[in-house]
Amino acid sequence: MTIKKEPFYKTVGKEKEVFEHAYENRLPLLLKGPTGTGKSRFVEYMSYKLNKPLTTIACHEETSATDLLGRFIIKGAETVWIDGPLTKALKSGEILYMDEIAEARPDVIVAIHPLTDHRREIYLDKIGETVKAHPDFMFISSFNPGYQKGFKELKPSTRQRFISLSFDYPEPKLEEEILIGEAGINAGVAAKLVKIGNKIRNLTELGLTETVSTRLLVGAAKLIHSGLPKRLAVEVAVVEPLTDDPDILEALKDLSGLMI
Amino acid sequence: MEFDQLIFQKLFKLFSKKVENANQAFGVPLITITSKLTIFARALSGAPINIFASEREGGWQGNVFYLPKTVSLYNVAELNIQFYIFRLFYLCTQKSLNMNWPIGSGNSIEESQKEAIKQSEKILQKLFAEYPLIEPIYLELKNKLPFQSAKKGEKQSQDLTWLYGRWMKNVPSREKNNQIKNINTEAAKNQSINPKTVIEAQKADEVEILHVDKKAQEDYMLTNNFEKIDTVDEFDGVWRDFDGDDSLEEDLEALQEYNLKHMVRVDDPVHSVYQADYVNNASIAESVAIENNKFHLLYPEWDYKKRQYEYDYCKVFPKKLSGMDNEYFVKTMEQNRSLLVRLKKTFAQLNNKWEQSRRQISGDAIDIDAATDLFTDIKAHRTPDERIYTKKRKQAKELGLLFLLDLSLSSDAYANGNRIIDVEKQISILFGEVLNEYGIDFQIDGFYSKTRNNTAYITLKAFNEPWLKARTRIGAAEATGYTRIGPAIRHATSILEKNPNRKRWLILLSDGKPNDYDKYEGKHGVEDIKQSLREMRVKGINNFAFAIEEQAKFYLPQMFGENHYNILTSPVELLNSLTKLYDRIEHS
Ligand SMILES: Nc1ncnc2c1ncn2[C@@H]1O[C@H](COP(=O)(O)OP(=O)(O)O)[C@@H](O)[C@H]1O
Ligand SMILES: [Mg+2]
């Protein structure tokens, strides 16, 4: 996918420089951080800036090497080999973004190892072929080290193959600007939403809820912008997605109601 | 105090509070909204705040907020609730400004109330700046606050202490290196208790922290006897070395329990159980090892403040339980007959799912991917792989479970009318029956601690031991000591590491409160447990916790993470929990 319009991305730190230099040297990059902190958005933005097409693969428990590398399918009386998304991106020199790589099955990790060192290649065992990466190809993956939800750990041997960048919730000021930029709400409402977000994040820290991502706050901001009452918007876009525990739900609704 | 004396005192207090009880019908008891207020407090402050009932207006101290036991100041329940909410925001702001008496100061209640009123302007200012919506609530509460009947010649006035509380003493941060010698847990040893009366502890504000050590004992005048102490407030730091070392040690022990305030037994355990709140301000000195010469293993402990390990810090003494209680087993089976049948059914269904294995020589269904590969190979004139079937396996030889039971004294308490340790034991027995039938590897262990120098790790059923032999042992496990979970988890990890199964799980059964009397509680305990779980995960071992107490939902997720625990107050709830646990196991 080639990104035509510049995505809205607020730079948080030195991530742009790091990305550019990693790309220069074709070093694989690992974006660490909780969900909704702008990792995907950042990759889209960089893909636009570098003018390189982007392929994103969202990994989950069932993602296997076959899904990524390719498989045979039956076509009439023939069996035909089809390249998987990884193989395609590799051959045509795209930026490949593997989201939540630790969630994938172990054979995926094994398959990408030769891709992340000096060899820059993959081995397709089913057709006995080695595919070298196109010179423009870059490999990026993301990983959520938050241990709360039971995310899988990434082995040190895998981690050490990547240049790593940490993502976290932006400072309040910056997060407010993101809400304003994304949803077009006024500064006062943005400040209140960010404050609610940060208070509930305290509970996440204590393990009582899922995390309030910038994404959730953006959602609430958009609903408010389109005219939904503020409290209701916060309830459905921020509080409800966090937990199913009725006590905690009620408390969070009341609490956010006292803040907006 | 005798029981009738206590009743008298309670009644007396009730009558002497007439004025405040005028609006009784609209009164809101704190306990009806404690859980909501706790969530508020934790969100607003970011600290693991606990909320306790206070004698009167209350205040804050460390991570404890004291709020009135009931509020009936207003003749509308809604306003009384608003009052609690206002006070909570107020205390959060006061705490964030760190406004309280300095450590060690001694001010009277009147002074403390006056100071609170004097400083309220500053707190309100910050409060309203930060939370503008609280201001109208405050104004209404203040407007409608009842006037007190005035003394002769005086103007009627409002009792503002309700709004501003009173100042309390800051709590000292914990020091290390206070060691007590020669503690034994004789006093903590448990006799099976059937409480006839459960008396709630009197609300004591500003619980004093008592450092109990030999030095202090010598320093104080020996005039009083511990048994006479009824509330911590009344304890004036004076006790008597009564009849030799032994009894004193028992007293110390009891006193420590008192400080940790989990549950304090009165002298005659058959009559009553004294229930008190959980105070996390209390900090008690460490004890020195008593069992150094016995076989033990050393484990590290995580110091989150320094972000480093204290190596070889904890001693774990692995033991086998020699006792036996066949009757307990039989009774559990009888009482849970129909539950067991349902459990086995549920288990059979769940078990079916994850026994599917691919790439088999023969089986009940064809694996499409494998079949496609086979055709390709034939076309390409290669020798095809003929393992193209999926198959349901007879035995799930890939799972190893280790159940870890919290045998500390706090598990001798009741949750929903069931004794926690009984729920733990019954669950283990039921699980044991089911797992045994399905040929799944499992081990059942228990633990308790007496400081870092002594964590007892008791194996009730080892992985390689037949269930038939071990199952009568479960009933013999009894509650004693404290709950240092970290070392027990680390030892369990080392056992699971040696287990050859692909999926290895640690399943903890506890009341969910970590504590030991050498500061293993609060954030330190929680962080150590988190760290020990992290170590475990890195080794590819998973964990799940069953908490036998409702309140645990405020403690457990901090340590185990949201989807890694389940609250379980009776064996019947095991059915649902099992499903949740299996869901986790399946995705591991
Ligand atoms: N730095 C940022 N600049 C602009 N938008 C951001 C930024 N961080 C987060 N967002 C917003 O949050 C949403 C979620 O971000 P996303 O990149 O999908 O998160 P992640 O990939 O880390 O889970 C985005 O759609 C965007 O609205
Ligand atoms: Mg994403």
Side-chain angles (χ1 to χ4, degrees):
Chain A
M1 180 183 69
T2 308
I3 295 166
K4 305 232 168 59
K5 190 171 158 278
E6 175 163 348
F8 169 71
Y9 180 75
K10 264 246 162 289
T11 311
V12 179
K14 293 266 176 263
E15 68 269 32
K16 252 176 87 175
E17 283 90 326
V18 174
F19 193 110
E20 281 160 3
H21 284 280
Y23 186 74
E24 195 86 356
N25 295 287
R26 302 296 187 272
L27 292 170
L29 186 63
L30 179 69
L31 311 180
K32 299 189 288 182
T35 177
T37 44
K39 298 186 293 296
S40 304
R41 180 60 66 88
F42 172 60
V43 174
E44 284 162 22
Y45 173 77
M46 289 313 294
S47 142
Y48 172 84
K49 281 282 165 193
L50 297 171
N51 195 20
K52 293 275 171 278
L54 171 70
T55 297
T56 299
I57 301 167
C59 301
H60 51 83
E61 290 135 31
E62 302 299 325
T63 307
S64 65
T66 307
D67 298 331
L68 300 183
L69 301 180
R71 53 160 41 96
F72 283 106
I73 60 163
I74 304 172
K75 238 185 187 169
E78 297 284 309
T79 54
V80 189
W81 172 259
I82 303 272
D83 280 342
L86 193 153
T87 312
K88 272 190 207 152
L90 191 78
K91 285 178 174 169
S92 59
E94 299 186 0
I95 293 178
L96 178 78
Y97 179 46
M98 280 183 58
D99 209 354
E100 296 289 1
I101 192 168
E103 290 292 311
R105 291 206 197 165
D107 63 337
V108 169
I109 311 278
V110 175
I112 61 149
H113 269 191
L115 192 58
T116 51
D117 53 33
H118 65 279
R119 289 173 284 178
R120 295 203 0 118
E121 64 187 26
I122 48 168
Y123 178 63
L124 305 174
D125 62 343
K126 291 216 175 118
I127 51 175
E129 228 177 73
T130 299
V131 184
K132 281 261 175 219
H134 184 284
D136 286 352
F137 174 81
M138 182 183 184
F139 186 74
I140 304 167
S141 56
S142 79
F143 165 57
N144 187 342
Y147 115 110
Q148 295 272 3
K149 223 188 104 202
F151 290 99
K152 292 178 191 155
E153 296 279 349
L154 210 52
K155 282 212 198 83
S157 59
T158 305
R159 274 164 182 266
Q160 294 206 357
R161 295 169 171 269
F162 293 91
I163 306 284
S164 293
L165 264 177
S166 272
F167 280 68
D168 211 334
Y169 309 112
E171 292 297 304
K173 267 270 145 289
L174 208 64
E175 195 163 33
E176 286 165 25
E177 283 170 32
I178 292 172
L179 297 193
I180 295 166
E182 278 282 282
I185 49 168
N186 68 46
V189 177
K192 284 177 184 158
L193 285 174
V194 168
K195 181 175 255 172
I196 291 174
N198 281 315
K199 291 304 175 194
I200 302 178
R201 279 170 195 160
N202 282 336
L203 293 176
T204 310
E205 201 64 2
L206 296 171
L208 290 178
T209 59
E210 293 283 324
T211 182
V212 184
S213 60
T214 306
R215 181 187 298 128
L216 289 184
L217 296 179
V218 168
K222 285 182 173 161
L223 294 179
I224 291 171
H225 184 68
S226 74
L228 201 69
K230 290 190 206 101
R231 282 186 195 167
L232 183 58
V234 171
E235 281 181 16
V236 297
V238 181
V239 177
E240 289 283 356
L242 293 181
T243 175
D244 296 319
D245 183 307
D247 291 347
I248 295 177
L249 266 182
E250 191 193 307
L252 290 185
K253 285 180 185 174
D254 287 356
L255 182 66
S256 51
L258 288 165
M259 295 172 66
I260 193 157
Chain B
M1 193 181 330
E2 294 294 327
F3 183 54
D4 48 2
Q5 249 176 300
L6 223 148
I7 287 189
F8 170 76
Q9 205 183 21
K10 289 228 153 160
L11 287 178
F12 177 75
K13 281 205 172 143
L14 258 173
F15 286 122
S16 62
K17 278 197 298 191
K18 253 193 223 135
V19 191
E20 287 149 26
N21 288 345
N23 290 321
Q24 198 75 305
F26 311 101
V28 176
L30 177 60
I31 44 165
T32 58
I33 52 168
T34 310
S35 100
K36 183 186 281 185
L37 294 176
T38 306
I39 294 167
F40 274 30
R42 291 177 178 200
L44 294 174
S45 71
I49 305 283
N50 282 307
I51 291 179
F52 292 145
S54 73
E55 298 151 353
R56 209 171 162 276
E57 69 279 335
W60 73 278
Q61 196 181 37
N63 282 330
V64 176
F65 285 1
Y66 293 95
L67 292 170
K69 193 175 176 186
T70 8
V71 172
S72 48
L73 290 164
Y74 304 92
N75 55 13
V76 210
E78 189 51 35
L79 277 179
N80 290 323
I81 292 173
Q82 299 273 37
F83 172 85
Y84 275 124
I85 289 171
F86 164 73
R87 278 296 293 155
L88 188 104
F89 273 82
Y90 189 90
L91 287 177
C92 285
T93 311
Q94 189 180 344
K95 180 175 157 70
S96 75
L97 291 166
N98 196 25
M99 288 168 73
N100 242 351
W101 295 125
I103 297 168
S105 53
N107 299 82
S108 71
I109 289 185
E110 289 70 36
E111 284 172 318
S112 303
Q113 291 173 334
K114 276 216 185 91
E115 188 66 13
I117 293 174
K118 201 170 119 197
Q119 303 285 353
S120 61
E121 200 48 45
K122 195 170 163 197
I123 295 166
L124 289 174
Q125 215 171 13
K126 181 170 185 219
L127 172 58
F128 301 151
E130 228 178 306
Y131 308 102
L133 294 179
I134 300 298
E135 189 164 7
I137 295 175
Y138 165 75
L139 291 175
E140 183 175 10
L141 290 172
K142 187 163 184 215
N143 265 333
K144 297 188 174 159
L145 190 68
F147 280 83
Q148 297 166 315
S149 40
K151 289 186 201 120
K152 250 187 235 152
E154 271 177 37
K155 247 179 64 187
Q156 272 204 339
S157 67
Q158 288 172 309
D159 184 354
L160 294 176
T161 58
W162 289 113
L163 293 175
Y164 310 129
R166 70 168 144 107
W167 277 35
M168 294 183 169
K169 243 177 304 189
N170 270 342
V171 223
S173 57
R174 288 171 189 155
E175 321 115 285
K176 263 183 159 178
N177 298 335
N178 292 321
Q179 299 201 323
I180 312 180
K181 290 197 167 118
N182 285 326
I183 288 187
N184 66 56
T185 35
E186 274 311 302
K189 228 182 233 160
N190 167 58
Q191 312 102 14
S192 177
I193 291 169
N194 284 317
K196 298 206 174 90
T197 11
V198 175
I199 304 163
E200 213 185 310
Q202 288 176 51
K203 301 306 166 197
D205 282 7
E206 291 193 77
V207 174
E208 286 279 349
I209 294 151
L210 307 169
H211 281 269
V212 182
D213 57 17
K214 271 278 195 230
K215 181 79 173 59
Q217 180 215 335
E218 285 157 12
D219 286 352
Y220 285 110
M221 288 269 296
L222 307 176
T223 55
N224 212 333
N225 179 15
F226 173 63
E227 275 108 297
K228 293 229 179 88
I229 300 162
D230 289 312
T231 71
V232 178
D233 270 354
E234 281 170 48
F235 178 56
D236 54 3
V238 180
W239 62 83
R240 178 186 282 273
D241 193 344
F242 220 46
D243 37 24
D245 243 17
D246 257 323
S247 134
L248 178 73
E249 276 158 19
E250 287 188 18
D251 288 351
L252 288 183
E253 198 69 36
L255 193 54
Q256 273 150 8
E257 283 187 87
Y258 210 113
N259 273 295
L260 292 170
K261 289 190 96 187
H262 282 158
M263 201 163 90
V264 178
R265 274 162 237 290
V266 293
D267 311 308
D268 186 354
V270 189
H271 296 310
S272 51
V273 173
Y274 195 69
Q275 275 187 343
D277 293 323
Y278 173 66
V279 169
N280 65 0
N281 281 344
S283 132
I284 303 268
E286 269 174 45
S287 100
V288 162
I290 342 165
E291 289 185 283
N292 264 335
N293 47 347
K294 296 219 185 100
F295 173 72
H296 62 263
L297 297 151
L298 294 169
Y299 287 97
E301 188 159 297
W302 177 249
D303 186 334
Y304 80 97
K305 279 195 190 129
K306 295 193 204 143
R307 302 202 54 74
Q308 68 183 30
Y309 284 105
E310 300 262 19
Y311 288 99
D312 297 340
Y313 191 70
C314 299
K315 296 200 175 91
V316 172
F317 295 78
K319 293 173 187 166
K320 288 220 108 187
L321 190 74
S322 46
M324 228 168 79
D325 189 345
N326 191 41
E327 208 181 311
Y328 194 94
F329 171 75
V330 173
K331 245 169 75 187
T332 304
M333 295 301 280
E334 274 170 8
Q335 282 166 1
N336 296 289
R337 186 142 288 153
S338 75
L339 173 63
L340 191 62
V341 173
R342 280 186 293 158
L343 262 180
K344 283 185 178 167
K345 255 194 209 143
T346 312
F347 197 87
Q349 283 164 5
L350 293 169
N351 219 27
N352 264 345
K353 275 200 253 160
W354 46 266
E355 271 183 47
Q356 201 89 319
S357 53
R358 304 175 75 180
R359 291 257 175 210
Q360 301 296 309
I361 304 274
S362 62
D364 350 275
I366 287 181
D367 181 337
I368 294 293
D369 268 355
T372 315
D373 287 352
L374 176 111
F375 281 115
T376 324
D377 285 342
I378 293 171
K379 283 255 175 213
H381 302 289
R382 276 190 303 229
T383 318
D385 187 339
E386 287 175 347
R387 296 171 299 163
I388 59 163
Y389 294 95
T390 63
K391 190 181 189 173
K392 280 183 190 159
R393 258 173 306 161
K394 289 271 161 359
Q395 277 206 341
K397 254 299 170 203
E398 57 162 12
L399 181 62
L401 301 174
L402 191 153
F403 292 85
L404 188 58
L405 277 52
D406 170 2
L407 299 177
S408 67
L409 252 187
S410 57
S411 65
D412 194 18
Y414 284 73
N416 265 5
N418 298 313
R419 203 164 141 236
I420 291 174
I421 191 169
D422 281 329
V423 179
E424 290 180 12
K425 292 194 308 195
Q426 286 163 12
I427 288 174
S428 317
I429 289 177
L430 294 174
F431 260 128
E433 284 297 305
V434 176
L435 296 174
N436 185 48
E437 187 166 319
Y438 284 85
I440 290 173
D441 272 356
F442 69 104
Q443 170 147 345
I444 303 176
D445 297 333
F447 73 98
Y448 61 87
S449 67
K450 313 166 196 166
T451 79
R452 69 185 177 90
N453 289 312
N454 191 352
T455 295
Y457 189 98
I458 302 159
T459 295
L460 303 172
K461 180 210 171 284
F463 272 121
N464 54 15
E465 229 177 341
W467 174 240
L468 281 182
K469 225 179 103 196
R471 64 188 194 181
T472 56
R473 234 180 264 146
I474 312 291
E478 281 299 347
T480 177
Y482 293 88
T483 321
R484 199 179 207 90
I485 305 183
I489 290 179
R490 292 193 173 93
H491 188 62
T493 303
S494 77
I495 293 173
L496 277 165
E497 254 189 302
K498 292 182 206 117
N499 187 278
N501 288 297
R502 189 171 72 82
K503 292 181 175 182
R504 291 161 300 177
W505 280 75
L506 174 82
I507 294 158
L508 180 75
L509 292 128
S510 83
D511 63 352
K513 289 175 194 162
N515 69 77
D516 199 339
Y517 47 42
D518 55 346
K519 84 182 171 49
Y520 197 83
E521 25 150 18
K523 193 149 165 81
H524 175 77
V526 168
E527 290 298 323
D528 179 52
I529 293 164
K530 269 170 126 162
Q531 187 67 14
S532 67
L533 291 171
R534 238 174 255 138
E535 294 159 20
M536 201 172 81
R537 290 169 115 88
V538 169
K539 291 174 177 155
I541 301 166
N542 296 292
N543 61 77
F544 197 86
F546 287 114
I548 326 285
E549 208 211 37
E550 267 299 328
Q551 281 299 310
K553 83 173 164 215
F554 296 120
Y555 304 93
L556 274 198
Q558 292 180 47
M559 303 175 248
F560 286 84
E562 256 238 286
N563 292 321
H564 283 253
Y565 78 100
N566 212 336
I567 294 186
L568 196 61
T569 50
S570 69
V572 188
E573 294 160 46
L574 200 54
L575 281 169
N576 287 330
S577 306
L578 186 68
T579 317
K580 189 164 170 184
L581 170 62
Y582 259 69
D583 193 49
R584 301 296 323 174
I585 291 181
E586 198 181 343
H587 289 113
S588 67

